[in-house]
Amino acid sequence: QVQLVESGGGLVQAGGSLRLSCTASVRTFSRYYMGWFRQAPGKEREFVAAITWSGLNTLYADYVKGRFTISRDNAKNTVYLQMNSLKPEDTAVYYCAASAKYSDRTYDYDHWGQGTQVTVSS
């Protein structure tokens, strides 16, 4: 079983930054593709970013590209999401997820964290 725990959420002003982290409980962390998703109240869960085993290849949703950066530290079993230039519409619960494939689809991720709240005020 893979267990994921997110942290780093909080309340920030528009234009500010947050860094989310997600730590996995497995020793084979480096063999998983990792992703970040988010879900705002009343909306479906949506893709944010994904990263490969090496950490050298990444995918981003159009609405975060250029503002968010996903990275990973396999020695620490941790994936990060650096969020800059935050907008009120970024407000959501952010979830870390693990997948057997490199994907931007919710369906392809079968391990999920509990989520961390990000709130951006104007």
Side-chain angles (χ1 to χ4, degrees):
Q1 181 183 1
V2 177
Q3 295 183 344
L4 306 172
V5 179
E6 304 97 331
S7 63
L11 173 65
V12 297
Q13 292 277 313
S17 298
L18 283 174
R19 185 176 178 86
L20 307 183
S21 62
C22 169
T23 300
S25 64
V26 295
R27 291 181 290 177
T28 55
F29 174 78
S30 64
R31 305 187 70 176
Y32 286 91
Y33 300 100
M34 300 297 297
W36 286 97
F37 292 76
R38 68 187 186 185
Q39 187 167 21
K43 298 182 65 178
E44 297 294 316
R45 190 167 299 185
E46 62 185 8
F47 172 76
V48 175
I51 190 167
T52 58
W53 294 354
S54 68
L56 297 177
N57 301 105
T58 56
L59 293 173
Y60 295 97
D62 288 341
Y63 43 83
V64 305
K65 195 170 186 178
R67 299 189 298 121
F68 292 10
T69 302
I70 187 172
S71 61
R72 67 192 298 166
D73 185 340
N74 291 335
K76 296 182 178 180
N77 283 15
T78 301
V79 62
Y80 304 94
L81 185 68
Q82 177 65 48
M83 304 185 294
N84 299 324
S85 301
L86 283 162
K87 305 174 181 180
E89 51 262 44
D90 294 319
T91 295
V93 176
Y94 283 71
Y95 297 90
C96 175
S99 175
K101 62 172 62 177
Y102 192 42
S103 174
D104 62 356
R105 302 193 310 171
T106 304
Y107 176 84
D108 288 324
Y109 291 79
D110 51 12
H111 299 97
W112 296 84
Q114 80 287 354
T116 184
Q117 177 70 47
V118 172
T119 303
V120 184
S121 62
S122 60

